[in-house]
Amino acid sequence: MAIFEATNADYLTPLCAGAKSIVIGIPAKTLYLSWMLIGGVAWLVLRGRGVQESYFAVLLRRLRPAIVITFIDNSDLFYRVARINHTRMRFLAIQNAARYDVVELLPEKAQHIFLPEFACFGEYEKDLYTSKGAQVGAFYPIGSLRESYFRRFWKDAHATAPAHSYEYDLCVVAEASPGWNKLYPGSEDAIGRVASYAVRYAKEHGLRIVIAGKRDVSPGQERASIHQRDVELAWYQRYIGTETPITPRVRDQFTTYGLISKSRLSLALMSTALREAANRGCKVLFCNFSKDPRWNFCVDGVWSLTKDSYEEFSDRVSHLLAMSEQDYLAQSAKMSAYVMNNDDAAPTYVQLEKIIAAAVAG
């Protein structure tokens, strides 16, 4: 089997169950060339294919994997390579994040999406991609791989822990987005206000608040350019100063997920981690203060707020904190299963292992 793109490949290699695998880095650090490969690329280019997708398509033909998998499910290159080679081998994309980029696509633009097999978060993605006219051969709405790994980690780490108690009242999931205003005017301030309102509310009510940082405390070399913690700190300082610290992310300890689980209520504008948390029963609040409907949470309810007003924010947070966990779960159960279909009885990583093993076995 082949893993397409090295980013987060360490999440995928455990799914191989001992099968021989290769990681194909994008962009390629090493070019594998032979006269046969060059001839195959030239043949595809002459038929209207781009050089890059032609190279990777021919390389995969030479490698002959039973299945090609990726954790970068919105990769245009993966779409194009799969379109060329899907009759020769299986292609499986595993959803990595909430797909607001698909929400904003016009149907004629969405037709470039080509996924022979798609392991997605839930039925919501099936409805979304189908409504847009994306070309998806088979949907597997089996939840989040990262969330399933967290649940296993959390269970092992707390096997002998006492009854659950909360360390924090509010958790803001950091979404620092420098430069976003150029693409989406007002989006940075909208994200910043989620944090500033939460900090203000915590001060007024004497509550414990934590901000779960998105940037790694020690990012790997491949992610260093986009996971600079000093950039995150400087960005949030514009909105909340330095009085409320931002807890750094430690990737292999699932820091963000853990802080959400330790909090009575967690907030963000559009965080995927918040969707995952909702599925495991955590109280969440999606706050879209941008006035741009593309960022609205996909299911209306008490967990979604779109009116940009501190008074509205305060009232909603107070309501959610006062609501019993049983009442919240009763209201949100249908939504959380639709958006994120993780199942402890059949973890996502187990279901993916089975799909991959069946492909390798032929």
Side-chain angles (χ1 to χ4, degrees):
M1 62 168 288
I3 296 173
F4 197 83
E5 301 212 28
T7 303
N8 291 323
D10 58 323
Y11 284 130
L12 304 185
T13 50
L15 305 175
C16 302
K20 186 177 180 181
S21 62
I22 184 172
V23 177
I24 299 175
I26 310 294
K29 294 182 179 179
T30 302
L31 288 177
Y32 301 93
L33 296 177
S34 67
W35 288 114
M36 187 173 292
L37 192 148
I38 292 171
V41 171
W43 189 87
L44 288 173
V45 169
L46 289 172
R47 280 151 183 79
R49 304 292 188 178
V51 173
Q52 189 181 34
E53 64 257 34
S54 296
Y55 169 77
F56 286 108
V58 176
L59 177 62
L60 286 170
R61 290 179 184 181
R62 299 292 295 163
L63 294 171
R64 294 187 295 178
I67 187 168
V68 183
I69 64 175
T70 188
F71 206 28
I72 312 302
D73 59 292
N74 62 340
S75 165
D76 283 339
L77 180 59
F78 185 82
Y79 301 156
R80 299 196 301 271
V81 173
R83 193 183 294 274
I84 295 172
N85 273 358
H86 70 279
T87 60
R88 297 170 178 258
M89 60 198 70
R90 292 175 65 174
F91 284 81
L92 170 67
I94 300 168
Q95 188 171 358
N96 176 43
R99 286 290 156 238
Y100 291 94
D101 50 342
V102 176
V103 171
E104 66 178 330
L105 281 178
L106 295 174
E108 57 267 26
K109 296 290 186 180
Q111 292 179 13
H112 78 286
I113 296 174
F114 189 89
L115 295 173
E117 300 177 60
F118 185 26
C120 57
F121 288 161
E123 292 292 333
Y124 166 69
E125 273 75 30
K126 185 175 181 179
D127 291 343
L128 172 63
Y129 280 69
T130 301
S131 70
K132 293 290 185 176
Q135 299 180 63
V136 180
F139 289 95
Y140 308 128
I142 56 177
S144 161
L145 175 61
R146 191 182 283 107
E147 169 69 11
S148 70
Y149 282 151
F150 166 71
R151 293 187 188 190
R152 181 176 63 185
F153 168 85
W154 193 252
K155 182 179 179 181
D156 292 343
H158 296 80
T160 59
H164 181 76
S165 61
Y166 293 114
E167 295 183 21
Y168 307 100
D169 299 297
L170 300 179
C171 174
V172 176
V173 181
E175 299 176 291
S177 49
W180 271 41
N181 278 340
K182 295 178 182 178
L183 294 173
Y184 310 106
S187 60
E188 292 187 51
D189 288 344
I191 292 171
R193 281 195 294 277
V194 177
S196 63
Y197 286 175
V199 169
R200 176 180 170 183
Y201 184 92
K203 288 180 179 179
E204 290 178 356
H205 294 83
L207 301 182
R208 303 160 296 175
I209 185 171
V210 65
I211 299 180
K214 185 174 182 179
R215 304 309 179 195
D216 295 338
V217 64
S218 54
Q221 183 177 357
E222 290 186 4
R223 301 181 66 81
S225 63
I226 60 172
H227 270 245
Q228 296 178 1
R229 178 159 164 75
D230 57 339
V231 173
E232 178 177 61
L233 295 176
W235 190 90
Y236 267 103
Q237 188 174 346
R238 294 159 45 192
Y239 299 100
I240 60 173
T242 58
E243 185 177 345
T244 304
I246 298 177
T247 302
R249 176 179 183 242
V250 182
R251 184 174 180 270
D252 61 359
Q253 295 179 19
F254 296 93
T255 310
T256 300
Y257 293 75
L259 290 173
I260 293 173
S261 289
K262 295 175 183 177
S263 303
R264 294 171 59 203
L265 174 65
S266 298
L267 314 94
L269 191 153
M270 55 183 171
S271 166
T272 300
L274 217 58
R275 294 192 181 198
E276 293 164 322
N279 183 256
R280 64 178 180 269
C282 299
K283 288 184 183 177
V284 301
L285 180 59
F286 292 88
C287 305
N288 180 13
F289 299 145
S290 70
K291 298 182 176 62
D292 187 336
R294 86 184 82 191
W295 309 118
N296 287 349
F297 185 59
C298 53
V299 182
D300 289 334
V302 69
W303 46 79
S304 177
L305 180 65
T306 57
K307 188 171 183 180
D308 182 9
S309 156
Y310 177 72
E311 290 70 26
E312 293 280 347
F313 175 88
S314 178
D315 288 346
R316 183 65 61 86
V317 170
S318 295
H319 176 66
L320 286 167
L321 289 174
M323 183 183 294
S324 71
E325 293 185 7
Q326 292 77 11
D327 286 346
Y328 181 83
L329 288 173
Q331 290 191 32
S332 64
K334 186 175 180 180
M335 171 276 291
S336 64
Y338 175 63
V339 174
M340 187 71 62
N341 191 31
N342 281 79
D343 181 357
D344 289 334
T348 304
Y349 62 84
V350 171
Q351 297 191 62
L352 288 170
E353 287 170 356
K354 292 179 178 178
I355 293 170
I356 292 168
V360 171

